[in-house]
Amino acid sequence: MVKVVVCGAAGGIGQPLSLLLKQSDLISHLALYDIVNAIGVAADLSHINTASKVTGHVGAGALAEALQGAHTVVIPAGVPRRPGMTRDDLFKVNASIVRDLAQACAEHCPKAFILVISNPVNSTVPIVCEVLKKANVFDPRRVFGVTTLDVVRSSRFVHEVKPQFEPHEIANRITVVGGHSGATIVPILSKINQQPHNQSISFTPEEIKTLTHRIQFGGDEVVKAKDGAGSATLSMAYAGARFTLSLLEASVRGKRGVVESTFVHLPGNPGSEWNQRFTGLDYFAQDVELGPDGVAKVLALPELSTEEQALVKIAINELKGNVTKGVKFITEPQ
Ligand code: NAD
Ligand code: LMR
């Protein structure tokens, strides 16, 4: 039995994400939770002739039954950006939504993997971890900030500059480190190897500069284009499904060598010592090898170019504030 719960399942991300998860034979029960409309979305998806059972759960009173027995909980609940807003502007509304969902996970499925999509990820992941710590059920291997969209964008945008490299061939070859907002997103473009030929890709300094900026601010491109109707939903659903299924491949099917970039709590995670020393932070996004219990190993940061070192320094400074804000929201509530 592999039960996957989507919290915020009736939303712009939640619906297409649930559709993509419905296609997986690794999931036996897909439970869709939202404060509105989840019953209808579940009824609709339940007619698709794939293996999983689909159930819908609406409102706080139905959260416990949704979470009971969960193997994995994916959280895209909360408000998205409008033009002119930063992700941090979402903290006011989304922090308490994520806190309450984490509290319910601590009570009803303390061993579940928790995948946080809700923004600002740099602060919502610390919120989840602090809630679980307070409830004495925290396992740093089991909480993930989903930063996969940054990797997905990187491989697409690199392909647009270097069309000879197919996006799917470089999809798992680009590491994005730091966090998930503007300057905290640092793609490591100096170290891309194309498979299966293991041919390295090189860029001019101008290409690096343009690509890095586009990857860091890819979210703003979508927010601007949607013009008040929200932020990335379809590409995020694709990225969220990719991360969820990678985790299930590693944890349920026992596949080895599954690596994804993700924002995790470093202390207590296997292999994280080098990155902790280098960043001086408790939370950071980098490549992580996934296994039966979630994080099998945090991979040490690759050797960075001089420009990347400067970008990581900027990211670290900004992340410090984002992380502290999330931690304090739980440890020093106003
Ligand atoms: P949306 O408004 O379309 O959907 C959000 C859903 O959450 C709605 O259905 C809403 O009813 C539900 N919701 C609100 N409060 C809830 C609660 N307490 N419990 C359960 N569900 C609740 O928004 P969206 O476009 O799907 O975006 C959702 C979040 O994902 C936003 O915070 C957005 O910034 C973030 N996001 C993150 C990434 C990323 O890369 N991590 C990418 C895109 C968007
Ligand atoms: C993204 O990167 O698209 C998301 O974080 C949504 C946003 O607010 O940009």
Side-chain angles (χ1 to χ4, degrees):
M1 271 297 286
V2 176
K3 180 178 181 182
V4 175
V5 186
V6 180
C7 293
I13 296 168
Q15 291 202 37
L17 171 62
S18 302
L19 172 63
L20 292 171
L21 296 178
K22 178 71 178 101
Q23 296 179 47
S24 172
D25 62 2
L26 284 166
I27 299 171
S28 50
H29 182 177
L30 191 56
L32 308 186
Y33 172 76
D34 204 300
I35 50 170
V36 292
N37 301 337
I39 304 286
V41 176
D44 189 354
L45 282 183
S46 73
H47 290 190
I48 294 176
N49 60 337
T50 53
S52 52
K53 166 175 98 171
V54 185
T55 54
H57 312 264
V58 171
L63 184 53
E65 66 176 21
L67 294 175
Q68 214 64 250
H71 175 279
T72 296
V73 180
V74 193
I75 306 183
V79 292
R81 283 199 288 164
R82 291 185 305 278
M85 291 172 85
T86 65
R87 291 178 184 80
D88 188 54
D89 292 333
L90 303 172
F91 187 94
K92 224 184 276 167
V93 178
N94 290 351
S96 51
I97 293 176
V98 172
R99 175 199 61 203
D100 296 349
L101 291 170
Q103 184 59 47
C105 288
E107 282 165 32
H108 305 293
C109 54
K111 289 200 170 313
F113 296 121
I114 302 180
L115 281 48
V116 186
I117 293 174
S118 313
N119 270 317
V121 166
N122 298 352
S123 305
T124 50
V125 170
I127 288 175
V128 171
C129 294
E130 289 303 320
V131 168
L132 299 179
K133 283 180 195 173
K134 235 179 170 172
N136 284 320
V137 293
F138 180 52
D139 180 344
R141 299 172 303 170
R142 307 181 90 84
V143 181
F144 305 89
V146 182
T147 56
T148 323
L149 182 52
D150 302 319
V151 180
V152 166
R153 282 184 179 134
S154 300
S155 58
R156 177 66 216 177
F157 299 166
V158 164
H159 165 75
E160 287 172 19
V161 174
K162 305 274 177 196
Q164 67 272 37
F165 298 108
E166 292 300 333
H168 68 274
E169 286 177 334
I170 47 176
N172 290 58
R173 297 282 131 200
I174 306 183
T175 303
V176 183
V177 306
H180 178 69
S181 72
T184 70
I185 300 169
V186 184
I188 308 303
L189 298 174
S190 66
K191 294 274 169 320
I192 309 174
N193 285 317
Q194 188 222 21
Q195 295 295 319
H197 314 295
N198 209 25
Q199 205 180 339
S200 66
I201 305 180
S202 55
F203 301 97
T204 64
E206 197 47 44
E207 283 172 337
I208 294 261
K209 214 169 147 200
T210 310
L211 269 170
T212 301
H213 185 271
R214 189 164 182 218
I215 293 162
Q216 291 188 317
F217 296 94
D220 299 59
E221 230 178 79
V222 182
V223 169
K224 188 164 174 248
K226 290 201 173 178
D227 197 19
S231 55
T233 53
L234 304 173
S235 51
M236 182 58 232
Y238 173 85
R242 166 175 151 175
F243 187 82
T244 309
L245 296 176
S246 286
L247 182 60
L248 294 183
E249 284 288 348
S251 61
V252 176
R253 205 164 259 163
K255 189 171 166 186
R256 287 168 180 264
V258 180
V259 173
E260 292 284 357
S261 292
T262 172
F263 186 72
V264 294
H265 183 278
L266 296 174
N269 255 321
S272 67
E273 296 77 11
W274 164 256
N275 293 358
Q276 272 182 74
R277 262 202 314 278
F278 185 84
T279 64
L281 294 172
D282 282 354
Y283 292 85
F284 206 66
Q286 65 271 287
D287 276 352
V288 162
E289 185 173 340
L290 301 169
D293 298 310
V295 176
K297 192 177 177 197
V298 171
L299 303 187
L301 292 169
E303 202 184 315
L304 306 173
S305 68
T306 313
E307 294 75 19
E308 288 161 356
Q309 285 178 30
L311 291 171
V312 166
K313 210 169 155 196
I314 295 168
I316 289 171
N317 271 335
E318 196 167 319
L319 273 168
K320 270 184 200 146
N322 297 158
V323 167
T324 305
K325 189 170 174 179
V327 170
K328 282 195 170 162
F329 184 69
I330 302 304
T331 57
E332 297 173 24
Q334 297 302 310

